[in-house]
Structures are given as C-alpha cells and as structure tokens.
Amino acid sequence: MRSLNFNHLHYFWAVAHAGSLTRAAEHMNLSQSALSVQIQKLEHQMGHPLFERVGKKLILTEAGQIALDYADTVFKAGDELLSTLQGRPLANRQVLSVGALTTLSRNFQLEFLRPLVGRPDVELIVRSGNIRDLLAQLESHTIDVVLANSAAPQDARSSLRNHLLNEQPVSLIGRAKKGKRKFRFPEDLRTEPLLLPSLDSDIRVAFDRILETAGIRPIILAEVDDMAMLRLLAREREGVTLVPPIVVRDELETGILVERCRIPKLTERFYAIVKKRRFPNRLLIDVLGVAKAAISKTA
C-alpha cells in the first residue's frame, strides 16, 4: 500500500478549515482546479469522499471529519515538534465534543464526563443548546454526542441512536425547617407554592397531568427552563420545587434542602444520543461503556 501523500493531506486540511475551494486557493496561491485535483487524489487513495457539496458550500462527510481530526493531529504534531525543540513542549490530546441540553442537570453531565475529567491527554469541548440545534450539529459531525433528557425521534431512515444512561425519580424538594409535618401529596399543593420546570420539560407535562387528574390548581411561584437556576431558587425561596434529586444532590447531602415528597410513577430519563458512524470516536466508546456499566449495576 502506498504511503499517505502529506501534500494532498495538507491541501485537504486547508480547504476543510477554509470552508471553500475559493478561499483556500486564494490563501495558498493556487488555482481552484489544481486544488480540487489534489483533493480528488486523496479521496481516491482513502477510498471515501471527503466533501459533499450543498449549494455553494463544501460540507465534510463523516470520513472527511475523521480525516480532518487526524490531519489536525498530524499538523499539530509538527507544531509540537518545533515547540519541543525550542523548549516549549505541548501536550498531545484526544478530543471529545459534547452537546448538552441547556436545561439538563449539571450533576448528570459531570457524572457522564467524570471518567475523562482531569486526563492530561483529553480535551473536552462542551456546548449547550436546544435539542434541535444540537441534533443538527450531531448530524453534521460537529459534535460526537448529545446529552438530553428525552430520546431523539426514531424512524427506519434515522441514523441516530439513543442510549439510556440513567433513570431518576422526581421529587418535591424544599428548604429544611424544623417541625415540618409529613407532606401529603397531592393535597398539600393546594396551598404550598411551587417552583417548576418550564413546559418544555417532559416531567413538567407529566406532573401537570397528575395535578389535573387530582383536580388541583397549584400556586406557581416560577417556571424555569434552566435546572441550575431552579436549583438556586429552591435554596432561596419558600415552597417546594419539582426536580430529580440528582439536580440538588449536594444540597440534600448537606441538609440545606430536604426531600418533602417523591412523586409516584414519575421519573426523568437521561440519554446519550449518538449518530451511527463507521469511524466512532474512541473516547465516546469508552465513556459510554462506563455509563452503561453503571446503570446495569443499579438495574
């Protein structure tokens, strides 16, 4: 097998980062046709198309994204060689890009990423956003995994896969006070003020259904779509807050907050959503393996 032509790889790397043949050709002082021929030669050697044209844009294919990751590593290694010889060594790192739903528990995100946190050979990139934008980034190979509390839609043509990582009970949490009697659910919600997730949350929709069936119209203090803010408000405000206990785990352990009532038959599920790939990120395989092993022990 012929060895890789690094000139071809460098031309591909330049086009991938420029986002177009025109910009890359101008920067490298080459004609577009010459640059295109070099990339075609690289694609022929690799046996995979590296770009697909969408309108006037060049979009990386899955193989193209993998090739770019390796090209980044190759040319970064050259920079590291120079830096090392000049007395400025740099660490060689693997990269895992994670998308997390804005409303998702920070504690859950940390638990998922814990096997990689602090590793000197790993760079973590974590982006927050709404599910639509994150799934679009997953489809375009910009990120490796999406962490969410609902599964991605599935059909026969879908390339997305949902991995259930955890299932947590949902509770009403309140500030610790002496002399508090046992909470009567759902009757006490006629008078006890409530802090709730927004209607974008699956657990909020299910909780509203429970109260509607019981004929209870709650006193709502606030509706919050960010679990981190809901956690802070639970610490500061009177009343009770609807959250999975993992969201306020530290406060429960220190006694700042207490579980007033666990909601019967109401749970929140946590998923890792991935795109089926021929060349999966090795770090993702490892961290998913740890997460699945953990849930199997508690099943």
Side-chain angles (χ1 to χ4, degrees), residues 83-232:
S83 298
T84 299
L85 294 178
Q86 294 168 4
R88 300 182 291 106
L90 299 172
N92 185 23
R93 291 185 168 187
Q94 304 172 73
V95 178
L96 181 68
S97 297
V98 180
L101 203 63
T102 305
T103 58
L104 199 64
S105 162
R106 303 309 192 256
N107 284 334
F108 166 70
Q109 295 178 46
L110 180 58
E111 286 301 315
F112 178 74
L113 297 173
R114 193 179 296 282
L116 304 179
V117 173
R119 276 181 51 174
D121 62 327
V122 172
E123 178 181 351
L124 288 173
I125 299 173
V126 182
R127 299 188 177 100
S128 297
N130 62 55
I131 193 65
R132 182 177 180 180
D133 291 344
L134 293 176
L135 291 181
Q137 292 181 58
L138 185 63
E139 289 280 10
S140 65
H141 311 292
T142 306
I143 56 179
D144 298 301
V145 59
V146 172
L147 301 180
N149 49 13
S150 59
Q154 297 273 277
D155 58 42
R157 296 173 297 173
S158 176
S159 62
L160 300 182
R161 299 292 181 267
N162 298 302
H163 296 274
L164 178 63
L165 300 181
N166 206 340
E167 186 170 6
Q168 289 279 325
V170 178
S171 301
L172 292 173
I173 306 294
R175 290 164 62 181
K177 281 189 176 181
K178 292 182 179 179
K180 279 276 186 181
R181 61 176 173 78
K182 185 176 179 180
F183 196 90
R184 299 172 302 170
F185 179 82
E187 289 79 9
D188 282 353
L189 290 178
R190 298 183 189 279
T191 56
E192 189 90 24
L194 263 173
L195 294 165
L196 293 171
S198 71
L199 286 168
D200 292 333
S201 164
D202 289 345
I203 62 172
R204 168 64 190 281
V205 174
F207 183 74
D208 283 355
R209 210 177 295 127
I210 292 171
L211 295 192
E212 184 178 354
T213 301
I216 292 174
R217 300 184 65 179
I219 305 167
I220 300 175
L221 290 178
E223 299 179 9
V224 184
D225 64 4
D226 183 351
M227 282 293 175
M229 177 57 71
L230 197 60
R231 172 186 179 182
L232 291 176

Side-chain angles (χ1 to χ4, degrees), residues 8-78:
H8 295 164
L9 185 66
H10 187 263
Y11 293 140
F12 158 75
W13 181 75
V15 173
H17 280 289
S20 77
L21 280 170
T22 303
R23 284 196 294 271
E26 290 175 352
H27 180 72
M28 303 180 78
N29 198 25
L30 294 170
S31 69
Q32 291 187 46
S33 59
L35 197 53
S36 179
V37 168
Q38 301 304 313
I39 291 174
Q40 288 173 16
K41 290 181 178 179
L42 180 64
E43 290 179 323
H44 178 72
Q45 184 179 14
M46 291 188 170
H48 298 281
L50 301 177
F51 294 104
E52 60 179 341
R53 187 173 291 279
V54 179
K56 295 183 179 181
K57 294 183 179 180
L58 286 178
I59 305 298
L60 286 168
T61 63
E62 182 184 349
Q65 184 63 58
I66 298 298
L68 180 59
D69 290 342
Y70 276 94
D72 283 338
T73 300
V74 168
F75 296 121
K76 182 180 177 183

